[in-house]
Amino acid sequence: MGLIGFIFEITVLGCLVCGIASNAAVVGTCDMLLLNGLSGGQIGPWRANIPGITDGCAGWDKDQTSADDWLINMARACSMMALVFGCILTFFGFFNQCLCPLPCGQRLIDISGVGVQLALALTWPMIRSSVCDEYGGCSWGGGATALLLAQLFFFAASVFSRCMREPRYERRKERKEDKKEEEGEEEAPEEESAGDDNA
């Protein structure tokens, strides 16, 4: 696919790296959601900054609050699942394209691409958790931007992975075959000229 395939390849690999970085930011952030009714209050799936409960931005035990529900648990589980799916997507995308063929490579890329999108989508409902209700609602924070970016990066990588040029090992194989054909074409005239001299 030439230059266009190369551009798609760079785009996919870049999106995978940015997707993992954004997803890691979601897991490690304190400010995915801002607590409207508490000045300086912020929560993320795994870390929070809630005055009177946490000492700055730190890992938090949601049982310390009077509000605890399954939406926070789902956001925690899904944010980690998304990171795992993202790593699988990156592993198969990189190895299949740059190093060596992998069994069911494109199929696993597609499956992990769908998995990471579902897991990231299921992180959003924590904005309706009872923790947010207790503190007067939640609003969009920096971690929510990272969550949105992670979804966009992984979506672009999944879609454009089908537009990349042939994997490196296939290109090398084609070059070797072309080289053998060229050598065969060069040897043929020499044999003909040798036959004419003998005649």
mmCIF file of all heavy atoms in Angstrom, residues 149-182:
data_model
loop_
_atom_site.group_PDB
_atom_site.id
_atom_site.type_symbol
_atom_site.label_atom_id
_atom_site.label_comp_id
_atom_site.label_asym_id
_atom_site.label_seq_id
_atom_site.Cartn_x
_atom_site.Cartn_y
_atom_site.Cartn_z
ATOM 1 N N LEU A 149 -10.204 10.680 25.502
ATOM 2 C CA LEU A 149 -9.074 10.537 24.578
ATOM 3 C C LEU A 149 -8.684 9.070 24.413
ATOM 4 O O LEU A 149 -8.353 8.631 23.301
ATOM 5 C CB LEU A 149 -7.884 11.352 25.073
ATOM 6 C CG LEU A 149 -8.007 12.875 24.958
ATOM 7 C CD1 LEU A 149 -6.808 13.562 25.605
ATOM 8 C CD2 LEU A 149 -8.126 13.294 23.494
ATOM 9 N N ALA A 150 -8.701 8.311 25.513
ATOM 10 C CA ALA A 150 -8.365 6.886 25.433
ATOM 11 C C ALA A 150 -9.331 6.174 24.489
ATOM 12 O O ALA A 150 -8.915 5.349 23.666
ATOM 13 C CB ALA A 150 -8.413 6.253 26.822
ATOM 14 N N GLN A 151 -10.619 6.495 24.594
ATOM 15 C CA GLN A 151 -11.596 5.870 23.700
ATOM 16 C C GLN A 151 -11.320 6.234 22.243
ATOM 17 O O GLN A 151 -11.374 5.376 21.353
ATOM 18 C CB GLN A 151 -13.007 6.304 24.079
ATOM 19 C CG GLN A 151 -13.521 5.661 25.354
ATOM 20 C CD GLN A 151 -14.963 6.035 25.640
ATOM 21 O OE1 GLN A 151 -15.254 7.141 26.068
ATOM 22 N NE2 GLN A 151 -15.864 5.106 25.387
ATOM 23 N N LEU A 152 -11.026 7.494 21.985
ATOM 24 C CA LEU A 152 -10.772 7.937 20.608
ATOM 25 C C LEU A 152 -9.504 7.306 20.049
ATOM 26 O O LEU A 152 -9.483 6.852 18.895
ATOM 27 C CB LEU A 152 -10.683 9.466 20.561
ATOM 28 C CG LEU A 152 -11.970 10.230 20.873
ATOM 29 C CD1 LEU A 152 -11.715 11.728 20.897
ATOM 30 C CD2 LEU A 152 -13.062 9.893 19.855
ATOM 31 N N PHE A 153 -8.430 7.274 20.845
ATOM 32 C CA PHE A 153 -7.171 6.696 20.375
ATOM 33 C C PHE A 153 -7.327 5.209 20.062
ATOM 34 O O PHE A 153 -6.880 4.736 19.012
ATOM 35 C CB PHE A 153 -6.068 6.903 21.414
ATOM 36 C CG PHE A 153 -5.511 8.293 21.462
ATOM 37 C CD1 PHE A 153 -5.361 8.961 22.681
ATOM 38 C CD2 PHE A 153 -5.120 8.954 20.303
ATOM 39 C CE1 PHE A 153 -4.844 10.236 22.733
ATOM 40 C CE2 PHE A 153 -4.601 10.236 20.347
ATOM 41 C CZ PHE A 153 -4.458 10.884 21.567
ATOM 42 N N PHE A 154 -7.948 4.462 20.969
ATOM 43 C CA PHE A 154 -8.108 3.022 20.742
ATOM 44 C C PHE A 154 -9.066 2.747 19.583
ATOM 45 O O PHE A 154 -8.872 1.784 18.833
ATOM 46 C CB PHE A 154 -8.598 2.330 22.016
ATOM 47 C CG PHE A 154 -7.522 2.115 23.041
ATOM 48 C CD1 PHE A 154 -7.720 2.463 24.367
ATOM 49 C CD2 PHE A 154 -6.299 1.559 22.686
ATOM 50 C CE1 PHE A 154 -6.732 2.258 25.321
ATOM 51 C CE2 PHE A 154 -5.303 1.350 23.627
ATOM 52 C CZ PHE A 154 -5.520 1.706 24.949
ATOM 53 N N PHE A 155 -10.089 3.577 19.425
ATOM 54 C CA PHE A 155 -11.009 3.395 18.303
ATOM 55 C C PHE A 155 -10.285 3.610 16.982
ATOM 56 O O PHE A 155 -10.432 2.811 16.041
ATOM 57 C CB PHE A 155 -12.193 4.359 18.430
ATOM 58 C CG PHE A 155 -13.179 4.253 17.303
ATOM 59 C CD1 PHE A 155 -14.072 3.196 17.244
ATOM 60 C CD2 PHE A 155 -13.201 5.206 16.295
ATOM 61 C CE1 PHE A 155 -14.975 3.084 16.195
ATOM 62 C CE2 PHE A 155 -14.103 5.103 15.242
ATOM 63 C CZ PHE A 155 -14.994 4.049 15.186
ATOM 64 N N ALA A 156 -9.496 4.683 16.903
ATOM 65 C CA ALA A 156 -8.748 4.962 15.671
ATOM 66 C C ALA A 156 -7.764 3.833 15.373
ATOM 67 O O ALA A 156 -7.631 3.398 14.222
ATOM 68 C CB ALA A 156 -8.008 6.295 15.798
ATOM 69 N N ALA A 157 -7.082 3.339 16.402
ATOM 70 C CA ALA A 157 -6.119 2.253 16.196
ATOM 71 C C ALA A 157 -6.809 0.987 15.702
ATOM 72 O O ALA A 157 -6.311 0.303 14.804
ATOM 73 C CB ALA A 157 -5.367 1.967 17.499
ATOM 74 N N SER A 158 -7.977 0.673 16.262
ATOM 75 C CA SER A 158 -8.699 -0.536 15.855
ATOM 76 C C SER A 158 -9.167 -0.438 14.409
ATOM 77 O O SER A 158 -9.053 -1.401 13.642
ATOM 78 C CB SER A 158 -9.906 -0.763 16.767
ATOM 79 O OG SER A 158 -9.502 -0.947 18.099
ATOM 80 N N VAL A 159 -9.693 0.711 14.028
ATOM 81 C CA VAL A 159 -10.227 0.879 12.676
ATOM 82 C C VAL A 159 -9.099 0.906 11.647
ATOM 83 O O VAL A 159 -9.133 0.191 10.630
ATOM 84 C CB VAL A 159 -11.072 2.166 12.591
ATOM 85 C CG1 VAL A 159 -11.451 2.461 11.147
ATOM 86 C CG2 VAL A 159 -12.322 2.041 13.440
ATOM 87 N N PHE A 160 -8.078 1.711 11.902
ATOM 88 C CA PHE A 160 -7.010 1.884 10.919
ATOM 89 C C PHE A 160 -6.044 0.710 10.865
ATOM 90 O O PHE A 160 -5.197 0.654 9.974
ATOM 91 C CB PHE A 160 -6.246 3.178 11.191
ATOM 92 C CG PHE A 160 -7.060 4.421 10.990
ATOM 93 C CD1 PHE A 160 -6.911 5.516 11.824
ATOM 94 C CD2 PHE A 160 -7.988 4.503 9.962
ATOM 95 C CE1 PHE A 160 -7.671 6.659 11.640
ATOM 96 C CE2 PHE A 160 -8.757 5.639 9.768
ATOM 97 C CZ PHE A 160 -8.591 6.720 10.608
ATOM 98 N N SER A 161 -6.154 -0.239 11.809
ATOM 99 C CA SER A 161 -5.265 -1.406 11.768
ATOM 100 C C SER A 161 -5.508 -2.237 10.503
ATOM 101 O O SER A 161 -4.624 -2.971 10.064
ATOM 102 C CB SER A 161 -5.473 -2.281 13.012
ATOM 103 O OG SER A 161 -6.768 -2.870 13.011
ATOM 104 N N ARG A 162 -6.672 -2.095 9.899
ATOM 105 C CA ARG A 162 -6.973 -2.828 8.665
ATOM 106 C C ARG A 162 -6.475 -2.096 7.425
ATOM 107 O O ARG A 162 -6.589 -2.626 6.316
ATOM 108 C CB ARG A 162 -8.475 -3.065 8.550
ATOM 109 C CG ARG A 162 -9.004 -4.005 9.620
ATOM 110 C CD ARG A 162 -10.454 -4.353 9.398
ATOM 111 N NE ARG A 162 -10.860 -5.464 10.244
ATOM 112 C CZ ARG A 162 -10.687 -6.744 9.939
ATOM 113 N NH1 ARG A 162 -10.101 -7.071 8.803
ATOM 114 N NH2 ARG A 162 -11.086 -7.694 10.748
ATOM 115 N N CYS A 163 -5.962 -0.888 7.618
ATOM 116 C CA CYS A 163 -5.498 -0.087 6.479
ATOM 117 C C CYS A 163 -3.970 -0.020 6.395
ATOM 118 O O CYS A 163 -3.432 0.647 5.512
ATOM 119 C CB CYS A 163 -6.051 1.336 6.584
ATOM 120 S SG CYS A 163 -7.852 1.430 6.704
ATOM 121 N N MET A 164 -3.297 -0.682 7.319
ATOM 122 C CA MET A 164 -1.830 -0.621 7.324
ATOM 123 C C MET A 164 -1.256 -1.399 6.151
ATOM 124 O O MET A 164 -1.911 -2.266 5.571
ATOM 125 C CB MET A 164 -1.276 -1.181 8.641
ATOM 126 C CG MET A 164 -1.640 -0.384 9.870
ATOM 127 S SD MET A 164 -0.754 -0.925 11.355
ATOM 128 C CE MET A 164 -1.504 -2.536 11.621
ATOM 129 N N ARG A 165 -0.003 -1.100 5.819
ATOM 130 C CA ARG A 165 0.673 -1.865 4.779
ATOM 131 C C ARG A 165 0.950 -3.279 5.284
ATOM 132 O O ARG A 165 0.738 -3.581 6.461
ATOM 133 C CB ARG A 165 1.987 -1.178 4.385
ATOM 134 C CG ARG A 165 2.961 -1.018 5.527
ATOM 135 C CD ARG A 165 4.192 -0.266 5.086
ATOM 136 N NE ARG A 165 5.099 -0.056 6.229
ATOM 137 C CZ ARG A 165 6.325 0.403 6.111
ATOM 138 N NH1 ARG A 165 6.800 0.693 4.924
ATOM 139 N NH2 ARG A 165 7.078 0.577 7.174
ATOM 140 N N GLU A 166 1.451 -4.121 4.393
ATOM 141 C CA GLU A 166 1.723 -5.501 4.760
ATOM 142 C C GLU A 166 2.735 -5.546 5.905
ATOM 143 O O GLU A 166 3.624 -4.707 5.983
ATOM 144 C CB GLU A 166 2.274 -6.282 3.565
ATOM 145 C CG GLU A 166 1.308 -6.450 2.416
ATOM 146 C CD GLU A 166 1.209 -5.219 1.551
ATOM 147 O OE1 GLU A 166 2.012 -4.282 1.747
ATOM 148 O OE2 GLU A 166 0.318 -5.173 0.679
ATOM 149 N N PRO A 167 2.623 -6.558 6.776
ATOM 150 C CA PRO A 167 3.593 -6.670 7.882
ATOM 151 C C PRO A 167 5.025 -6.782 7.384
ATOM 152 O O PRO A 167 5.275 -7.168 6.241
ATOM 153 C CB PRO A 167 3.153 -7.948 8.606
ATOM 154 C CG PRO A 167 1.712 -8.114 8.248
ATOM 155 C CD PRO A 167 1.572 -7.577 6.859
ATOM 156 N N ARG A 168 5.958 -6.467 8.240
ATOM 157 C CA ARG A 168 7.370 -6.422 7.867
ATOM 158 C C ARG A 168 7.868 -7.754 7.333
ATOM 159 O O ARG A 168 8.611 -7.795 6.346
ATOM 160 C CB ARG A 168 8.188 -6.008 9.101
ATOM 161 C CG ARG A 168 9.658 -5.852 8.818
ATOM 162 C CD ARG A 168 10.409 -5.487 10.070
ATOM 163 N NE ARG A 168 11.825 -5.384 9.809
ATOM 164 C CZ ARG A 168 12.750 -5.342 10.738
ATOM 165 N NH1 ARG A 168 12.411 -5.387 11.997
ATOM 166 N NH2 ARG A 168 14.018 -5.240 10.427
ATOM 167 N N TYR A 169 7.475 -8.867 7.968
ATOM 168 C CA TYR A 169 7.979 -10.166 7.534
ATOM 169 C C TYR A 169 7.474 -10.509 6.135
ATOM 170 O O TYR A 169 8.171 -11.157 5.358
ATOM 171 C CB TYR A 169 7.592 -11.264 8.531
ATOM 172 C CG TYR A 169 6.124 -11.359 8.836
ATOM 173 C CD1 TYR A 169 5.271 -12.120 8.058
ATOM 174 C CD2 TYR A 169 5.581 -10.678 9.922
ATOM 175 C CE1 TYR A 169 3.919 -12.199 8.327
ATOM 176 C CE2 TYR A 169 4.224 -10.753 10.200
ATOM 177 C CZ TYR A 169 3.397 -11.515 9.403
ATOM 178 O OH TYR A 169 2.058 -11.592 9.681
ATOM 179 N N GLU A 170 6.283 -10.045 5.765
ATOM 180 C CA GLU A 170 5.777 -10.287 4.423
ATOM 181 C C GLU A 170 6.513 -9.430 3.410
ATOM 182 O O GLU A 170 6.782 -9.876 2.286
ATOM 183 C CB GLU A 170 4.276 -10.020 4.360
ATOM 184 C CG GLU A 170 3.433 -11.057 5.076
ATOM 185 C CD GLU A 170 1.945 -10.853 4.851
ATOM 186 O OE1 GLU A 170 1.577 -9.978 4.044
ATOM 187 O OE2 GLU A 170 1.155 -11.586 5.486
ATOM 188 N N ARG A 171 6.827 -8.188 3.779
ATOM 189 C CA ARG A 171 7.577 -7.321 2.862
ATOM 190 C C ARG A 171 8.970 -7.882 2.600
ATOM 191 O O ARG A 171 9.459 -7.844 1.470
ATOM 192 C CB ARG A 171 7.674 -5.902 3.443
ATOM 193 C CG ARG A 171 6.336 -5.203 3.614
ATOM 194 C CD ARG A 171 6.481 -3.703 3.804
ATOM 195 N NE ARG A 171 7.354 -3.351 4.892
ATOM 196 C CZ ARG A 171 6.959 -3.160 6.144
ATOM 197 N NH1 ARG A 171 5.672 -3.343 6.460
ATOM 198 N NH2 ARG A 171 7.810 -2.812 7.087
ATOM 199 N N ARG A 172 9.601 -8.414 3.650
ATOM 200 C CA ARG A 172 10.918 -9.023 3.466
ATOM 201 C C ARG A 172 10.834 -10.236 2.551
ATOM 202 O O ARG A 172 11.706 -10.460 1.700
ATOM 203 C CB ARG A 172 11.504 -9.421 4.818
ATOM 204 C CG ARG A 172 11.903 -8.241 5.695
ATOM 205 C CD ARG A 172 12.407 -8.679 7.052
ATOM 206 N NE ARG A 172 13.623 -9.455 6.921
ATOM 207 C CZ ARG A 172 14.235 -10.039 7.944
ATOM 208 N NH1 ARG A 172 13.741 -9.947 9.154
ATOM 209 N NH2 ARG A 172 15.344 -10.719 7.756
ATOM 210 N N LYS A 173 9.806 -11.042 2.721
ATOM 211 C CA LYS A 173 9.624 -12.225 1.875
ATOM 212 C C LYS A 173 9.430 -11.821 0.415
ATOM 213 O O LYS A 173 10.001 -12.445 -0.502
ATOM 214 C CB LYS A 173 8.412 -13.009 2.381
ATOM 215 C CG LYS A 173 8.174 -14.316 1.659
ATOM 216 C CD LYS A 173 6.979 -15.040 2.261
ATOM 217 C CE LYS A 173 6.706 -16.342 1.521
ATOM 218 N NZ LYS A 173 5.529 -17.048 2.077
ATOM 219 N N GLU A 174 8.635 -10.778 0.187
ATOM 220 C CA GLU A 174 8.409 -10.312 -1.185
ATOM 221 C C GLU A 174 9.698 -9.783 -1.806
ATOM 222 O O GLU A 174 9.966 -10.019 -2.989
ATOM 223 C CB GLU A 174 7.338 -9.222 -1.191
ATOM 224 C CG GLU A 174 5.934 -9.748 -0.902
ATOM 225 C CD GLU A 174 4.914 -8.646 -0.820
ATOM 226 O OE1 GLU A 174 5.304 -7.456 -0.981
ATOM 227 O OE2 GLU A 174 3.734 -8.944 -0.577
ATOM 228 N N ARG A 175 10.508 -9.060 -1.017
ATOM 229 C CA ARG A 175 11.771 -8.548 -1.543
ATOM 230 C C ARG A 175 12.709 -9.681 -1.938
ATOM 231 O O ARG A 175 13.397 -9.611 -2.953
ATOM 232 C CB ARG A 175 12.440 -7.627 -0.513
ATOM 233 C CG ARG A 175 11.830 -6.249 -0.425
ATOM 234 C CD ARG A 175 12.752 -5.267 0.283
ATOM 235 N NE ARG A 175 12.950 -5.617 1.680
ATOM 236 C CZ ARG A 175 12.216 -5.133 2.678
ATOM 237 N NH1 ARG A 175 11.222 -4.294 2.409
ATOM 238 N NH2 ARG A 175 12.467 -5.480 3.923
ATOM 239 N N LYS A 176 12.773 -10.740 -1.117
ATOM 240 C CA LYS A 176 13.613 -11.884 -1.442
ATOM 241 C C LYS A 176 13.152 -12.562 -2.729
ATOM 242 O O LYS A 176 13.962 -12.940 -3.574
ATOM 243 C CB LYS A 176 13.598 -12.890 -0.290
ATOM 244 C CG LYS A 176 14.394 -12.442 0.922
ATOM 245 C CD LYS A 176 14.354 -13.509 2.018
ATOM 246 C CE LYS A 176 15.148 -13.055 3.247
ATOM 247 N NZ LYS A 176 15.094 -14.075 4.328
ATOM 248 N N GLU A 177 11.826 -12.710 -2.889
ATOM 249 C CA GLU A 177 11.304 -13.337 -4.099
ATOM 250 C C GLU A 177 11.592 -12.480 -5.328
ATOM 251 O O GLU A 177 11.951 -13.003 -6.381
ATOM 252 C CB GLU A 177 9.793 -13.566 -3.951
ATOM 253 C CG GLU A 177 9.441 -14.636 -2.923
ATOM 254 C CD GLU A 177 7.947 -14.766 -2.718
ATOM 255 O OE1 GLU A 177 7.196 -13.928 -3.270
ATOM 256 O OE2 GLU A 177 7.533 -15.699 -1.990
ATOM 257 N N ASP A 178 11.452 -11.160 -5.183
ATOM 258 C CA ASP A 178 11.760 -10.268 -6.308
ATOM 259 C C ASP A 178 13.233 -10.347 -6.679
ATOM 260 O O ASP A 178 13.597 -10.322 -7.856
ATOM 261 C CB ASP A 178 11.388 -8.822 -5.960
ATOM 262 C CG ASP A 178 9.880 -8.635 -5.836
ATOM 263 O OD1 ASP A 178 9.140 -9.496 -6.354
ATOM 264 O OD2 ASP A 178 9.459 -7.639 -5.206
ATOM 265 N N LYS A 179 14.083 -10.444 -5.648
ATOM 266 C CA LYS A 179 15.518 -10.522 -5.906
ATOM 267 C C LYS A 179 15.869 -11.810 -6.638
ATOM 268 O O LYS A 179 16.692 -11.825 -7.562
ATOM 269 C CB LYS A 179 16.285 -10.444 -4.585
ATOM 270 C CG LYS A 179 17.783 -10.305 -4.748
ATOM 271 C CD LYS A 179 18.456 -10.106 -3.408
ATOM 272 C CE LYS A 179 19.962 -9.942 -3.571
ATOM 273 N NZ LYS A 179 20.641 -9.769 -2.264
ATOM 274 N N LYS A 180 15.233 -12.934 -6.259
ATOM 275 C CA LYS A 180 15.484 -14.211 -6.934
ATOM 276 C C LYS A 180 15.030 -14.147 -8.388
ATOM 277 O O LYS A 180 15.694 -14.668 -9.282
ATOM 278 C CB LYS A 180 14.743 -15.337 -6.205
ATOM 279 C CG LYS A 180 15.389 -15.733 -4.893
ATOM 280 C CD LYS A 180 14.609 -16.871 -4.236
ATOM 281 C CE LYS A 180 15.236 -17.277 -2.906
ATOM 282 N NZ LYS A 180 14.471 -18.375 -2.248
ATOM 283 N N GLU A 181 13.883 -13.503 -8.632
ATOM 284 C CA GLU A 181 13.393 -13.375 -9.999
ATOM 285 C C GLU A 181 14.347 -12.545 -10.848
ATOM 286 O O GLU A 181 14.609 -12.873 -12.012
ATOM 287 C CB GLU A 181 12.008 -12.742 -10.002
ATOM 288 C CG GLU A 181 10.921 -13.655 -9.458
ATOM 289 C CD GLU A 181 9.564 -12.987 -9.425
ATOM 290 O OE1 GLU A 181 9.486 -11.811 -9.854
ATOM 291 O OE2 GLU A 181 8.592 -13.619 -8.981
ATOM 292 N N GLU A 182 14.882 -11.459 -10.265
ATOM 293 C CA GLU A 182 15.827 -10.628 -11.000
ATOM 294 C C GLU A 182 17.100 -11.391 -11.321
ATOM 295 O O GLU A 182 17.649 -11.284 -12.425
ATOM 296 C CB GLU A 182 16.157 -9.368 -10.191
ATOM 297 C CG GLU A 182 15.000 -8.393 -10.079
ATOM 298 C CD GLU A 182 15.313 -7.232 -9.169
ATOM 299 O OE1 GLU A 182 16.445 -7.193 -8.622
ATOM 300 O OE2 GLU A 182 14.446 -6.355 -8.994
#
